Amino acid sequence: MRTIVYVGTSLDGFIARKDGDIDWLVKYQNKEVHTSYHEFISRIDAMVIGRGTFEKVIEFPEWPYEKKVFVLSSSLKQIPEIINDKATLVAMKPAALLNYLSDKGFSNIYVDGGKVIQSFLKEDLIDELIITRVPELIGTGIPLFGYLDKDLQFEHISTNIYSDGLVKSQYKRKR
Amino acid sequence: MRTIVYVGTSLDGFIARKDGDIDWLVKYQNKEVHTSYHEFISRIDAMVIGRGTFEKVIEFPEWPYEKKVFVLSSSLKQIPEIINDKATLVAMKPAALLNYLSDKGFSNIYVDGGKVIQSFLKEDLIDELIITRVPELIGTGIPLFGYLDKDLQFEHISTNIYSDGLVKSQYKRKR
């Protein structure tokens, strides 16, 4: 089983503004970025997001995810019936959720959303980090990373440079 | 005149642990990193540091800087006589300091130290960022970046990959 973070950040490490806005990020969307994202999605088989991400994407005109989504939340009570086949609400700790997903036959898990990523990293449950940095400082917002009890060492796998100055680096956890 | 930040950070954007320790950073020092640093130093003609950096380097067995150093501090009263020819104490705002340095004939200024870098960025007075990221999360510490009143867009110039997984990216301010 493999857990992977695939995320875009500002140069100063934010994944969104305080209000969730990603205007500064989407302006860098281009064909290369889309291709990279779809290549990545093709190698995962489930996705874990938190309440914050869920409440954002549920507002979109269309459900944006192709793969099975697990919404990790202890406060959400239910998920709208219309997306019952696409998303499942789970109220578990990260380690228990991974056991549950493994039992269900999932093996490549995309972990997304600031708080979810941080809670997985805090328990050293992320195997791979793929971070695309846009060449911009936004000064404040929702940070990608949070407090950790210990250092986590990674191995650099590859770095790609895209037009518009995006730098995508892929790292694997060194255990 | 050109102001340049050249700094090593953890993947989560810290330049030192809370107590100033850079054990996690120095373990990645190698010949490539030294060569890169010395190439960079050869193209600057003065350096601006803050009290934090000054009080740290003054403890070193030898003064570590080749170029003229300006110590930006309103709380320091004087600098030890023995390094009077190497370092000058200045109590100015960033913009005033740059005018002062320009009048003195300096044109490529290395800006270093967390608080000093942040105070220059806050006034949009940094022209170039050269950031080398080590493949490690340290979870807490002294952050490279701080709050900004506005977005600052940069242009990606180049990215180099070093052995041990260090990724150095160079950016120029887009004005």
Side-chain angles (χ1 to χ4, degrees), chain B residues 110-151:
Chain B
Y110 175 13
V111 178
D112 199 26
K115 281 187 188 163
V116 174
I117 293 170
Q118 290 180 19
S119 68
F120 273 68
L121 279 171
K122 204 165 176 195
E123 298 186 32
D124 194 6
L125 292 172
I126 294 296
D127 298 308
E128 210 173 307
L129 287 173
I130 305 171
I131 304 171
T132 303
R133 289 196 175 84
V134 306
E136 195 153 335
L137 299 171
I138 66 167
T140 182
I142 300 172
L144 170 55
F145 295 112
Y147 178 80
L148 298 174
D149 301 310
K150 59 167 188 173
D151 297 354

Side-chain angles (χ1 to χ4, degrees), chain A residues 150-175:
Chain A
K150 59 168 188 173
D151 297 354
L152 298 180
Q153 215 180 332
F154 286 80
E155 184 190 350
H156 175 259
I157 303 300
S158 63
T159 288
N160 300 84
I161 314 299
Y162 295 130
S163 50
D164 301 337
L166 279 67
V167 179
K168 183 180 82 171
S169 290
Q170 182 177 0
Y171 297 92
K172 278 193 181 153
R173 177 79 172 103
K174 227 176 188 170
R175 294 186 198 273

Side-chain angles (χ1 to χ4, degrees), chain B residues 71-83:
Chain B
V71 184
L72 189 57
S73 172
S74 52
S75 61
L76 272 179
K77 293 301 161 226
Q78 58 178 11
I79 274 185
E81 216 167 283
I82 194 165
I83 54 152

Side-chain angles (χ1 to χ4, degrees), chain A residues 82-115:
Chain A
I82 193 165
I83 54 153
N84 256 346
D85 57 328
K86 298 186 177 93
T88 304
L89 187 61
V90 282
M92 298 180 194
K93 299 278 181 200
L97 175 58
L98 292 183
N99 284 334
Y100 170 83
L101 294 176
S102 176
D103 287 348
K104 295 253 175 205
F106 296 107
S107 53
N108 289 290
I109 315 297
Y110 175 13
V111 178
D112 199 27
K115 279 187 188 162

